[in-house]
Amino acid sequence: MPVIRASEAITHEIHGARFVSYATPLTGSKELCAWRGEIPAGTKAPAHTVNREEILHLLDGELLVTLDDRTDRITAGDTLIINPGATLTVENPTGRTAVTWVTTSIGLTAELADGTLITPPWAN
């Protein structure tokens, strides 16, 4: 049974947010990836379209999330289901860091509005 200790998790930073990856192919996962996201106060990620389903659970804080054309404020304990092909924007309008837990399948990519394709290392 692979156990990924907090001290062994790999941290990546992009667009002002921090992603701490736990379950990836590098740590022994065969199908799923999971990471903790830390979105600092005042951070707004660019809109991006995902190719895999993502499940985002907000552990702490608040976020404004726009999924396609609908914007919702989510708070700690809320879960967001992001279907493949959906366009997502995440913003932390509060004064403190928001913390998420995200699960998806291996192979997630995100396409920015300008056509740039991002292959997050924490999801592949």
mmCIF file of all heavy atoms in Angstrom, residues 27-70:
data_model
loop_
_atom_site.group_PDB
_atom_site.id
_atom_site.type_symbol
_atom_site.label_atom_id
_atom_site.label_comp_id
_atom_site.label_asym_id
_atom_site.label_seq_id
_atom_site.Cartn_x
_atom_site.Cartn_y
_atom_site.Cartn_z
ATOM 1 N N THR A 27 3.830 8.618 -7.945
ATOM 2 C CA THR A 27 3.697 8.098 -6.582
ATOM 3 C C THR A 27 2.955 6.760 -6.546
ATOM 4 O O THR A 27 2.644 6.264 -5.468
ATOM 5 C CB THR A 27 2.977 9.116 -5.671
ATOM 6 O OG1 THR A 27 1.672 9.398 -6.209
ATOM 7 C CG2 THR A 27 3.777 10.404 -5.537
ATOM 8 N N GLY A 28 2.651 6.204 -7.720
ATOM 9 C CA GLY A 28 2.057 4.878 -7.771
ATOM 10 C C GLY A 28 0.610 4.809 -8.208
ATOM 11 O O GLY A 28 0.056 3.724 -8.333
ATOM 12 N N SER A 29 -0.031 5.940 -8.470
ATOM 13 C CA SER A 29 -1.418 5.922 -8.902
ATOM 14 C C SER A 29 -1.518 5.439 -10.348
ATOM 15 O O SER A 29 -0.708 5.826 -11.191
ATOM 16 C CB SER A 29 -2.036 7.320 -8.776
ATOM 17 O OG SER A 29 -3.383 7.277 -9.179
ATOM 18 N N LYS A 30 -2.497 4.616 -10.628
ATOM 19 C CA LYS A 30 -2.681 4.067 -11.972
ATOM 20 C C LYS A 30 -3.764 4.792 -12.768
ATOM 21 O O LYS A 30 -3.737 4.786 -13.992
ATOM 22 C CB LYS A 30 -3.037 2.583 -11.904
ATOM 23 C CG LYS A 30 -1.999 1.738 -11.188
ATOM 24 C CD LYS A 30 -0.709 1.704 -11.951
ATOM 25 C CE LYS A 30 0.260 0.752 -11.256
ATOM 26 N NZ LYS A 30 1.636 1.102 -11.505
ATOM 27 N N GLU A 31 -4.761 5.397 -12.086
ATOM 28 C CA GLU A 31 -5.883 6.010 -12.794
ATOM 29 C C GLU A 31 -6.211 7.428 -12.348
ATOM 30 O O GLU A 31 -6.718 8.211 -13.140
ATOM 31 C CB GLU A 31 -7.144 5.152 -12.615
ATOM 32 C CG GLU A 31 -7.025 3.779 -13.233
ATOM 33 C CD GLU A 31 -8.290 2.958 -13.061
ATOM 34 O OE1 GLU A 31 -9.344 3.528 -12.720
ATOM 35 O OE2 GLU A 31 -8.218 1.736 -13.261
ATOM 36 N N LEU A 32 -5.960 7.749 -11.085
ATOM 37 C CA LEU A 32 -6.405 9.032 -10.541
ATOM 38 C C LEU A 32 -5.242 9.884 -10.068
ATOM 39 O O LEU A 32 -4.180 9.375 -9.719
ATOM 40 C CB LEU A 32 -7.354 8.803 -9.364
ATOM 41 C CG LEU A 32 -8.633 8.035 -9.675
ATOM 42 C CD1 LEU A 32 -9.406 7.776 -8.395
ATOM 43 C CD2 LEU A 32 -9.478 8.791 -10.682
ATOM 44 N N CYS A 33 -5.499 11.186 -10.035
ATOM 45 C CA CYS A 33 -4.573 12.152 -9.453
ATOM 46 C C CYS A 33 -5.326 12.923 -8.389
ATOM 47 O O CYS A 33 -6.543 13.135 -8.498
ATOM 48 C CB CYS A 33 -4.080 13.137 -10.499
ATOM 49 S SG CYS A 33 -3.075 12.374 -11.765
ATOM 50 N N ALA A 34 -4.621 13.351 -7.356
ATOM 51 C CA ALA A 34 -5.253 14.146 -6.292
ATOM 52 C C ALA A 34 -4.222 15.117 -5.757
ATOM 53 O O ALA A 34 -3.049 14.781 -5.595
ATOM 54 C CB ALA A 34 -5.775 13.242 -5.180
ATOM 55 N N TRP A 35 -4.677 16.333 -5.503
ATOM 56 C CA TRP A 35 -3.793 17.361 -4.979
ATOM 57 C C TRP A 35 -4.550 18.350 -4.116
ATOM 58 O O TRP A 35 -5.771 18.464 -4.209
ATOM 59 C CB TRP A 35 -3.075 18.104 -6.098
ATOM 60 C CG TRP A 35 -3.970 18.862 -7.033
ATOM 61 C CD1 TRP A 35 -4.438 20.148 -6.884
ATOM 62 C CD2 TRP A 35 -4.511 18.397 -8.271
ATOM 63 N NE1 TRP A 35 -5.223 20.505 -7.947
ATOM 64 C CE2 TRP A 35 -5.281 19.447 -8.818
ATOM 65 C CE3 TRP A 35 -4.410 17.195 -8.970
ATOM 66 C CZ2 TRP A 35 -5.952 19.327 -10.033
ATOM 67 C CZ3 TRP A 35 -5.091 17.089 -10.172
ATOM 68 C CH2 TRP A 35 -5.841 18.132 -10.698
ATOM 69 N N ARG A 36 -3.783 19.052 -3.292
ATOM 70 C CA ARG A 36 -4.318 20.162 -2.501
ATOM 71 C C ARG A 36 -3.960 21.432 -3.245
ATOM 72 O O ARG A 36 -2.833 21.627 -3.665
ATOM 73 C CB ARG A 36 -3.689 20.168 -1.108
ATOM 74 C CG ARG A 36 -4.304 21.224 -0.187
ATOM 75 C CD ARG A 36 -3.676 21.229 1.198
ATOM 76 N NE ARG A 36 -2.343 21.801 1.147
ATOM 77 C CZ ARG A 36 -1.227 21.176 1.512
ATOM 78 N NH1 ARG A 36 -1.265 19.947 1.968
ATOM 79 N NH2 ARG A 36 -0.056 21.766 1.419
ATOM 80 N N GLY A 37 -4.951 22.285 -3.424
ATOM 81 C CA GLY A 37 -4.715 23.581 -4.056
ATOM 82 C C GLY A 37 -4.780 24.667 -3.000
ATOM 83 O O GLY A 37 -5.637 24.631 -2.119
ATOM 84 N N GLU A 38 -3.874 25.606 -3.084
ATOM 85 C CA GLU A 38 -3.854 26.753 -2.172
ATOM 86 C C GLU A 38 -3.953 28.005 -3.025
ATOM 87 O O GLU A 38 -3.037 28.309 -3.797
ATOM 88 C CB GLU A 38 -2.569 26.741 -1.348
ATOM 89 C CG GLU A 38 -2.432 25.480 -0.506
ATOM 90 C CD GLU A 38 -1.054 25.323 0.113
ATOM 91 O OE1 GLU A 38 -0.175 26.194 -0.102
ATOM 92 O OE2 GLU A 38 -0.851 24.311 0.815
ATOM 93 N N ILE A 39 -5.078 28.712 -2.908
ATOM 94 C CA ILE A 39 -5.345 29.893 -3.725
ATOM 95 C C ILE A 39 -5.279 31.117 -2.821
ATOM 96 O O ILE A 39 -6.185 31.347 -2.013
ATOM 97 C CB ILE A 39 -6.716 29.787 -4.431
ATOM 98 C CG1 ILE A 39 -6.759 28.542 -5.319
ATOM 99 C CG2 ILE A 39 -6.989 31.018 -5.273
ATOM 100 C CD1 ILE A 39 -7.431 27.370 -4.730
ATOM 101 N N PRO A 40 -4.195 31.893 -2.915
ATOM 102 C CA PRO A 40 -4.026 33.039 -2.022
ATOM 103 C C PRO A 40 -5.104 34.111 -2.226
ATOM 104 O O PRO A 40 -5.728 34.191 -3.283
ATOM 105 C CB PRO A 40 -2.647 33.592 -2.408
ATOM 106 C CG PRO A 40 -1.955 32.470 -3.082
ATOM 107 C CD PRO A 40 -3.033 31.678 -3.764
ATOM 108 N N ALA A 41 -5.268 34.929 -1.221
ATOM 109 C CA ALA A 41 -6.203 36.061 -1.279
ATOM 110 C C ALA A 41 -5.913 36.899 -2.512
ATOM 111 O O ALA A 41 -4.761 37.153 -2.848
ATOM 112 C CB ALA A 41 -6.058 36.902 -0.015
ATOM 113 N N GLY A 42 -6.980 37.300 -3.207
ATOM 114 C CA GLY A 42 -6.845 38.187 -4.351
ATOM 115 C C GLY A 42 -6.416 37.526 -5.644
ATOM 116 O O GLY A 42 -6.280 38.185 -6.662
ATOM 117 N N THR A 43 -6.235 36.209 -5.645
ATOM 118 C CA THR A 43 -5.779 35.495 -6.846
ATOM 119 C C THR A 43 -6.956 35.192 -7.758
ATOM 120 O O THR A 43 -8.020 34.780 -7.303
ATOM 121 C CB THR A 43 -5.095 34.166 -6.457
ATOM 122 O OG1 THR A 43 -3.971 34.462 -5.642
ATOM 123 C CG2 THR A 43 -4.648 33.385 -7.672
ATOM 124 N N LYS A 44 -6.745 35.394 -9.075
ATOM 125 C CA LYS A 44 -7.738 34.988 -10.070
ATOM 126 C C LYS A 44 -7.011 34.215 -11.158
ATOM 127 O O LYS A 44 -6.137 34.756 -11.841
ATOM 128 C CB LYS A 44 -8.461 36.185 -10.675
ATOM 129 C CG LYS A 44 -9.532 35.768 -11.669
ATOM 130 C CD LYS A 44 -10.338 36.938 -12.176
ATOM 131 C CE LYS A 44 -11.421 36.450 -13.134
ATOM 132 N NZ LYS A 44 -12.249 37.561 -13.605
ATOM 133 N N ALA A 45 -7.366 32.950 -11.300
ATOM 134 C CA ALA A 45 -6.763 32.104 -12.327
ATOM 135 C C ALA A 45 -7.407 32.431 -13.674
ATOM 136 O O ALA A 45 -8.584 32.792 -13.734
ATOM 137 C CB ALA A 45 -6.981 30.633 -11.986
ATOM 138 N N PRO A 46 -6.646 32.296 -14.757
ATOM 139 C CA PRO A 46 -7.242 32.535 -16.076
ATOM 140 C C PRO A 46 -8.269 31.456 -16.408
ATOM 141 O O PRO A 46 -8.167 30.321 -15.936
ATOM 142 C CB PRO A 46 -6.047 32.469 -17.020
ATOM 143 C CG PRO A 46 -5.030 31.658 -16.305
ATOM 144 C CD PRO A 46 -5.247 31.912 -14.842
ATOM 145 N N ALA A 47 -9.233 31.821 -17.232
ATOM 146 C CA ALA A 47 -10.225 30.847 -17.689
ATOM 147 C C ALA A 47 -9.503 29.738 -18.445
ATOM 148 O O ALA A 47 -8.576 29.993 -19.217
ATOM 149 C CB ALA A 47 -11.251 31.520 -18.592
ATOM 150 N N HIS A 48 -9.909 28.499 -18.182
ATOM 151 C CA HIS A 48 -9.315 27.355 -18.861
ATOM 152 C C HIS A 48 -10.357 26.263 -19.049
ATOM 153 O O HIS A 48 -11.265 26.113 -18.244
ATOM 154 C CB HIS A 48 -8.093 26.828 -18.111
ATOM 155 C CG HIS A 48 -8.368 26.460 -16.684
ATOM 156 N ND1 HIS A 48 -8.531 27.389 -15.682
ATOM 157 C CD2 HIS A 48 -8.510 25.250 -16.100
ATOM 158 C CE1 HIS A 48 -8.756 26.771 -14.537
ATOM 159 N NE2 HIS A 48 -8.757 25.463 -14.766
ATOM 160 N N THR A 49 -10.223 25.525 -20.143
ATOM 161 C CA THR A 49 -11.142 24.443 -20.484
ATOM 162 C C THR A 49 -10.425 23.125 -20.244
ATOM 163 O O THR A 49 -9.320 22.916 -20.739
ATOM 164 C CB THR A 49 -11.588 24.564 -21.950
ATOM 165 O OG1 THR A 49 -12.182 25.843 -22.145
ATOM 166 C CG2 THR A 49 -12.598 23.481 -22.305
ATOM 167 N N VAL A 50 -11.063 22.239 -19.470
ATOM 168 C CA VAL A 50 -10.435 20.972 -19.087
ATOM 169 C C VAL A 50 -10.920 19.831 -19.979
ATOM 170 O O VAL A 50 -12.039 19.854 -20.471
ATOM 171 C CB VAL A 50 -10.690 20.643 -17.595
ATOM 172 C CG1 VAL A 50 -10.053 21.695 -16.701
ATOM 173 C CG2 VAL A 50 -12.173 20.526 -17.301
ATOM 174 N N ASN A 51 -10.050 18.827 -20.142
ATOM 175 C CA ASN A 51 -10.400 17.675 -20.974
ATOM 176 C C ASN A 51 -10.846 16.462 -20.167
ATOM 177 O O ASN A 51 -11.228 15.453 -20.737
ATOM 178 C CB ASN A 51 -9.209 17.277 -21.849
ATOM 179 C CG ASN A 51 -8.082 16.661 -21.044
ATOM 180 O OD1 ASN A 51 -7.855 17.026 -19.890
ATOM 181 N ND2 ASN A 51 -7.360 15.727 -21.640
ATOM 182 N N ARG A 52 -10.766 16.548 -18.840
ATOM 183 C CA ARG A 52 -11.164 15.452 -17.959
ATOM 184 C C ARG A 52 -12.086 16.001 -16.873
ATOM 185 O O ARG A 52 -12.018 17.173 -16.525
ATOM 186 C CB ARG A 52 -9.951 14.834 -17.250
ATOM 187 C CG ARG A 52 -8.894 14.248 -18.138
ATOM 188 C CD ARG A 52 -9.170 12.767 -18.341
ATOM 189 N NE ARG A 52 -8.006 12.043 -18.800
ATOM 190 C CZ ARG A 52 -7.709 11.857 -20.078
ATOM 191 N NH1 ARG A 52 -8.460 12.377 -21.009
ATOM 192 N NH2 ARG A 52 -6.654 11.153 -20.420
ATOM 193 N N GLU A 53 -12.907 15.133 -16.326
ATOM 194 C CA GLU A 53 -13.730 15.523 -15.188
ATOM 195 C C GLU A 53 -12.834 15.795 -13.985
ATOM 196 O O GLU A 53 -11.882 15.063 -13.737
ATOM 197 C CB GLU A 53 -14.725 14.415 -14.856
ATOM 198 C CG GLU A 53 -15.667 14.768 -13.721
ATOM 199 C CD GLU A 53 -16.688 13.680 -13.499
ATOM 200 O OE1 GLU A 53 -16.303 12.570 -13.090
ATOM 201 O OE2 GLU A 53 -17.875 13.951 -13.743
ATOM 202 N N GLU A 54 -13.160 16.857 -13.257
ATOM 203 C CA GLU A 54 -12.474 17.185 -12.010
ATOM 204 C C GLU A 54 -13.510 17.306 -10.903
ATOM 205 O O GLU A 54 -14.605 17.810 -11.142
ATOM 206 C CB GLU A 54 -11.767 18.543 -12.094
ATOM 207 C CG GLU A 54 -10.490 18.588 -12.837
ATOM 208 C CD GLU A 54 -9.859 19.969 -12.737
ATOM 209 O OE1 GLU A 54 -10.304 20.878 -13.448
ATOM 210 O OE2 GLU A 54 -8.930 20.129 -11.933
ATOM 211 N N ILE A 55 -13.143 16.879 -9.726
ATOM 212 C CA ILE A 55 -13.968 17.081 -8.543
ATOM 213 C C ILE A 55 -13.166 17.990 -7.619
ATOM 214 O O ILE A 55 -12.075 17.636 -7.192
ATOM 215 C CB ILE A 55 -14.303 15.759 -7.825
ATOM 216 C CG1 ILE A 55 -14.929 14.748 -8.792
ATOM 217 C CG2 ILE A 55 -15.192 16.019 -6.615
ATOM 218 C CD1 ILE A 55 -16.224 15.185 -9.440
ATOM 219 N N LEU A 56 -13.693 19.181 -7.338
ATOM 220 C CA LEU A 56 -13.022 20.155 -6.487
ATOM 221 C C LEU A 56 -13.829 20.311 -5.207
ATOM 222 O O LEU A 56 -15.007 20.676 -5.257
ATOM 223 C CB LEU A 56 -12.911 21.491 -7.219
ATOM 224 C CG LEU A 56 -12.194 22.630 -6.502
ATOM 225 C CD1 LEU A 56 -11.558 23.563 -7.522
ATOM 226 C CD2 LEU A 56 -13.100 23.416 -5.583
ATOM 227 N N HIS A 57 -13.213 20.010 -4.084
ATOM 228 C CA HIS A 57 -13.858 20.145 -2.781
ATOM 229 C C HIS A 57 -13.143 21.264 -2.036
ATOM 230 O O HIS A 57 -11.909 21.239 -1.903
ATOM 231 C CB HIS A 57 -13.770 18.831 -1.995
ATOM 232 C CG HIS A 57 -14.435 18.901 -0.671
ATOM 233 N ND1 HIS A 57 -15.803 18.879 -0.523
ATOM 234 C CD2 HIS A 57 -13.919 19.019 0.575
ATOM 235 C CE1 HIS A 57 -16.098 18.965 0.763
ATOM 236 N NE2 HIS A 57 -14.971 19.058 1.445
ATOM 237 N N LEU A 58 -13.893 22.249 -1.578
ATOM 238 C CA LEU A 58 -13.298 23.374 -0.864
ATOM 239 C C LEU A 58 -13.180 23.030 0.615
ATOM 240 O O LEU A 58 -14.175 22.828 1.310
ATOM 241 C CB LEU A 58 -14.140 24.640 -1.057
ATOM 242 C CG LEU A 58 -13.527 25.929 -0.535
ATOM 243 C CD1 LEU A 58 -12.179 26.219 -1.172
ATOM 244 C CD2 LEU A 58 -14.478 27.094 -0.783
ATOM 245 N N LEU A 59 -11.938 22.929 1.078
ATOM 246 C CA LEU A 59 -11.667 22.570 2.473
ATOM 247 C C LEU A 59 -11.763 23.778 3.402
ATOM 248 O O LEU A 59 -12.222 23.663 4.535
ATOM 249 C CB LEU A 59 -10.270 21.959 2.594
ATOM 250 C CG LEU A 59 -10.042 20.659 1.842
ATOM 251 C CD1 LEU A 59 -8.564 20.305 1.837
ATOM 252 C CD2 LEU A 59 -10.880 19.547 2.450
ATOM 253 N N ASP A 60 -11.291 24.938 2.911
ATOM 254 C CA ASP A 60 -11.259 26.122 3.760
ATOM 255 C C ASP A 60 -11.339 27.362 2.889
ATOM 256 O O ASP A 60 -10.756 27.405 1.802
ATOM 257 C CB ASP A 60 -9.960 26.141 4.577
ATOM 258 C CG ASP A 60 -9.966 27.218 5.655
ATOM 259 O OD1 ASP A 60 -11.033 27.495 6.231
ATOM 260 O OD2 ASP A 60 -8.890 27.792 5.907
ATOM 261 N N GLY A 61 -12.069 28.368 3.361
ATOM 262 C CA GLY A 61 -12.155 29.638 2.661
ATOM 263 C C GLY A 61 -13.380 29.755 1.779
ATOM 264 O O GLY A 61 -14.356 29.024 1.933
ATOM 265 N N GLU A 62 -13.293 30.702 0.835
ATOM 266 C CA GLU A 62 -14.367 30.965 -0.125
ATOM 267 C C GLU A 62 -13.754 31.215 -1.481
ATOM 268 O O GLU A 62 -12.650 31.746 -1.583
ATOM 269 C CB GLU A 62 -15.152 32.225 0.257
ATOM 270 C CG GLU A 62 -15.972 32.127 1.491
ATOM 271 C CD GLU A 62 -16.769 33.413 1.733
ATOM 272 O OE1 GLU A 62 -17.204 34.050 0.760
ATOM 273 O OE2 GLU A 62 -16.930 33.757 2.902
ATOM 274 N N LEU A 63 -14.481 30.856 -2.535
ATOM 275 C CA LEU A 63 -14.049 31.115 -3.901
ATOM 276 C C LEU A 63 -15.231 31.571 -4.738
ATOM 277 O O LEU A 63 -16.363 31.162 -4.481
ATOM 278 C CB LEU A 63 -13.463 29.848 -4.543
ATOM 279 C CG LEU A 63 -12.171 29.300 -3.973
ATOM 280 C CD1 LEU A 63 -11.867 27.930 -4.594
ATOM 281 C CD2 LEU A 63 -11.027 30.269 -4.212
ATOM 282 N N LEU A 64 -14.958 32.387 -5.734
ATOM 283 C CA LEU A 64 -15.918 32.665 -6.793
ATOM 284 C C LEU A 64 -15.505 31.781 -7.957
ATOM 285 O O LEU A 64 -14.374 31.861 -8.442
ATOM 286 C CB LEU A 64 -15.854 34.123 -7.231
ATOM 287 C CG LEU A 64 -16.576 35.136 -6.377
ATOM 288 C CD1 LEU A 64 -16.395 36.541 -6.964
ATOM 289 C CD2 LEU A 64 -18.045 34.814 -6.257
ATOM 290 N N VAL A 65 -16.415 30.922 -8.382
ATOM 291 C CA VAL A 65 -16.115 29.968 -9.442
ATOM 292 C C VAL A 65 -17.072 30.213 -10.591
ATOM 293 O O VAL A 65 -18.292 30.248 -10.391
ATOM 294 C CB VAL A 65 -16.272 28.520 -8.922
ATOM 295 C CG1 VAL A 65 -16.033 27.532 -10.037
ATOM 296 C CG2 VAL A 65 -15.330 28.260 -7.763
ATOM 297 N N THR A 66 -16.515 30.412 -11.772
ATOM 298 C CA THR A 66 -17.339 30.516 -12.973
ATOM 299 C C THR A 66 -17.123 29.256 -13.777
ATOM 300 O O THR A 66 -15.995 28.932 -14.163
ATOM 301 C CB THR A 66 -16.970 31.760 -13.806
ATOM 302 O OG1 THR A 66 -17.130 32.922 -12.988
ATOM 303 C CG2 THR A 66 -17.870 31.876 -15.027
ATOM 304 N N LEU A 67 -18.200 28.532 -13.971
ATOM 305 C CA LEU A 67 -18.184 27.285 -14.732
ATOM 306 C C LEU A 67 -19.062 27.517 -15.947
ATOM 307 O O LEU A 67 -20.274 27.725 -15.808
ATOM 308 C CB LEU A 67 -18.703 26.139 -13.866
ATOM 309 C CG LEU A 67 -18.529 24.732 -14.393
ATOM 310 C CD1 LEU A 67 -17.071 24.434 -14.704
ATOM 311 C CD2 LEU A 67 -19.076 23.725 -13.411
ATOM 312 N N ASP A 68 -18.417 27.558 -17.119
ATOM 313 C CA ASP A 68 -19.062 27.986 -18.357
ATOM 314 C C ASP A 68 -19.614 29.393 -18.130
ATOM 315 O O ASP A 68 -18.823 30.291 -17.904
ATOM 316 C CB ASP A 68 -20.089 26.967 -18.824
ATOM 317 C CG ASP A 68 -19.410 25.659 -19.285
ATOM 318 O OD1 ASP A 68 -18.292 25.743 -19.832
ATOM 319 O OD2 ASP A 68 -19.981 24.575 -19.083
ATOM 320 N N ASP A 69 -20.899 29.614 -18.116
ATOM 321 C CA ASP A 69 -21.425 30.974 -17.967
ATOM 322 C C ASP A 69 -22.066 31.233 -16.607
ATOM 323 O O ASP A 69 -22.710 32.268 -16.415
ATOM 324 C CB ASP A 69 -22.464 31.251 -19.073
ATOM 325 C CG ASP A 69 -21.829 31.259 -20.449
ATOM 326 O OD1 ASP A 69 -20.677 31.730 -20.564
ATOM 327 O OD2 ASP A 69 -22.463 30.781 -21.406
ATOM 328 N N ARG A 70 -21.911 30.328 -15.671
ATOM 329 C CA ARG A 70 -22.547 30.483 -14.364
ATOM 330 C C ARG A 70 -21.491 30.725 -13.285
ATOM 331 O O ARG A 70 -20.527 29.969 -13.161
ATOM 332 C CB ARG A 70 -23.338 29.224 -14.023
ATOM 333 C CG ARG A 70 -24.003 29.305 -12.677
ATOM 334 C CD ARG A 70 -24.785 28.075 -12.357
ATOM 335 N NE ARG A 70 -25.200 28.110 -10.970
ATOM 336 C CZ ARG A 70 -26.050 27.273 -10.447
ATOM 337 N NH1 ARG A 70 -26.585 26.320 -11.175
ATOM 338 N NH2 ARG A 70 -26.365 27.364 -9.173
#
